Amino acid sequence: MLNQTSVTEFLLLGVTEIQALQPYLFVVFLAIYVVTVVGNGAVLMVVVSDPRLHSPMYFFLGNLSCMDICHSTVTLPKMLENFFSTHKAISFSGCISQLHFFHFLGTTEAMLLAVMAFDRFVAICRPLRYSVIMNYQLCTQMAVTVWTIGFFHALLHSTMTSRLNFCGSNLIHHFFCDVKPLLELACGNTELNQWLLNTVTGTIAMGPFFLTLLSYFSIIISLFSKTHSCSALHKALSTCASHFMVVILLYVPVVSIYIRPASGSSMDQELIAAIMYTVVTPVLNPLIYTLRNKDVKAALSNVFTRRANMNMSRAHF
């Protein structure tokens, strides 16, 4: 069935229509994007290059860093371009592609965080069998599985949205193409699309969240049954603190947009929440994992030390 739409492009209205603010916002978001790419790129580089970080936890952390770079790249470059563009247009196919990759990476990240929580559960509660359970084959299979599920979940939304009839306004009150703003512009019946967004996306989002909570609950129960020492409990849970902070940063804005009813949030609230999980979360993830992780900090320090020594050697020549 061919798409019967009369709209060939959409106009992204962005985060604000106040012209005076846009140069300042451009500088802020450009800086955030650069820090996101450099920070996550640095984490990805040391995870790949340092043999001491070739373990399941850092394998999944490398996946998360790669995901954050891609997630930011899906939305931020177009946002930055539109700050100085008089015609803030995106083609119909470009809009559907942006929607697809946004949901692809977002869904994959939610499931990856659940996998990382399971990894911490095995490491803390089954330490003697950790290397047997979390072997290379299982880690690879879990990573491929979450990426594959994320892709096909996004394909479902992009396909169903592209088949809608858009015959009226083409103004999107957002800084990127997402399902909810597009459904508001559709002329035909969108009940199936709304159901898919509320039910399927809600399940895929909240399912990993509850699995993450279950992993942490199991860790706490297991630690209390083995030891009554608060210091031992604190030491074990401190290894999960970075991951838990990332989970909270992702799920609080996601729940406010995709789980709450549409009448429960204003356009400004949805924009703020969208900025949180598309812009703020990717830039904070490498900072959280680096500042709280001695292994990553040591690996980064070694990289910078080696580069400094190489530069000094070249200077002598």
Side-chain angles (χ1 to χ4, degrees):
M1 180 179 176
L2 295 175
N3 176 44
Q4 299 177 344
T5 179
S6 59
V7 173
T8 59
E9 66 178 17
F10 294 99
L11 300 180
L12 297 169
L13 298 183
V15 294
T16 180
E17 296 181 10
I18 303 175
Q19 294 295 326
L21 290 177
Q22 296 197 8
Y24 301 102
L25 291 175
F26 174 84
V27 173
V28 171
F29 285 112
L30 177 62
I32 290 174
Y33 182 58
V34 171
V35 173
T36 298
V37 173
V38 173
N40 284 288
V43 172
L44 184 59
M45 178 187 65
V46 297
V47 166
V48 172
S49 63
D50 195 322
R52 293 172 298 177
L53 301 184
H54 291 175
S55 65
M57 182 175 75
Y58 296 110
F59 170 73
F60 294 126
L61 178 58
N63 274 262
L64 182 65
S65 295
C66 177
M67 211 172 294
D68 283 335
I69 293 173
C70 296
H71 207 174
S72 296
T73 303
V74 168
T75 56
L76 275 175
K78 186 62 179 176
M79 179 204 282
L80 293 171
E81 176 191 336
N82 286 344
F83 278 129
F84 291 106
S85 174
T86 55
H87 188 58
K88 306 175 188 296
I90 183 170
S91 66
F92 184 87
S93 59
C95 186
I96 297 300
S97 297
Q98 189 180 55
L99 180 155
H100 173 81
F101 284 103
F102 172 76
H103 280 273
F104 169 34
L105 296 164
T107 302
T108 305
E109 182 168 352
M111 292 186 292
L112 181 65
L113 291 176
V115 170
M116 294 173 74
F118 173 73
D119 171 71
R120 291 300 83 206
F121 164 75
V122 177
I124 294 172
C125 301
R126 304 288 187 272
L128 299 179
R129 299 189 60 203
Y130 178 70
S131 59
V132 176
I133 297 174
M134 299 299 294
N135 56 67
Y136 176 78
Q137 183 179 4
L138 179 63
C139 292
T140 304
Q141 289 174 344
M142 288 194 292
V144 170
T145 299
V146 298
W147 281 91
T148 303
I149 294 174
F151 177 83
F152 282 104
H153 171 250
L155 186 62
L156 174 67
H157 279 302
S158 57
T159 301
M160 294 300 296
T161 305
S162 67
R163 294 163 69 93
L164 292 172
N165 184 25
F166 296 94
C167 56
S169 173
N170 67 341
L171 300 179
I172 298 178
H173 293 272
H174 217 308
F175 60 91
F176 67 94
C177 290
D178 198 5
V179 177
K180 287 183 71 174
L182 285 174
L183 292 185
E184 294 173 1
L185 301 180
C187 300
N189 191 333
T190 62
E191 288 183 4
L192 178 57
N193 300 75
Q194 290 285 0
W195 181 84
L196 289 172
L197 186 64
N198 296 333
T199 306
V200 179
T201 302
T203 301
I204 288 181
M206 298 311 296
F209 178 67
F210 286 121
L211 289 175
T212 301
L213 292 182
L214 179 62
S215 295
Y216 281 119
F217 181 75
S218 301
I219 289 171
I220 294 172
I221 295 299
S222 177
L223 289 175
F224 269 120
S225 64
K226 291 178 181 179
T227 178
H228 297 287
S229 171
C230 292
S231 60
L233 180 64
H234 178 267
K235 183 178 179 180
L237 291 179
S238 65
T239 64
C240 305
S242 299
H243 178 261
F244 190 71
M245 290 172 65
V246 171
V247 170
I248 295 300
L249 281 172
L250 174 69
Y251 274 99
V252 168
V254 166
V255 167
S256 69
I257 290 182
Y258 296 105
I259 309 301
R260 289 175 58 185
S263 59
S265 57
S266 68
M267 187 66 67
D268 290 339
Q269 288 175 326
E270 291 194 1
L271 277 175
I272 293 171
I275 290 172
M276 280 296 297
Y277 71 83
T278 60
V279 179
V280 177
T281 300
V283 77
L284 289 182
N285 283 353
L287 297 176
I288 291 170
Y289 279 107
T290 302
L291 293 175
R292 295 190 60 87
N293 192 298
K294 295 179 181 179
D295 294 333
V296 176
K297 284 195 290 187
L300 285 171
S301 177
N302 290 336
V303 169
F304 291 134
T305 301
R306 286 199 301 268
R307 291 197 173 186
N309 291 336
M310 289 175 60
N311 291 333
M312 289 178 64
S313 300
R314 290 173 182 172
H316 286 302
F317 286 106

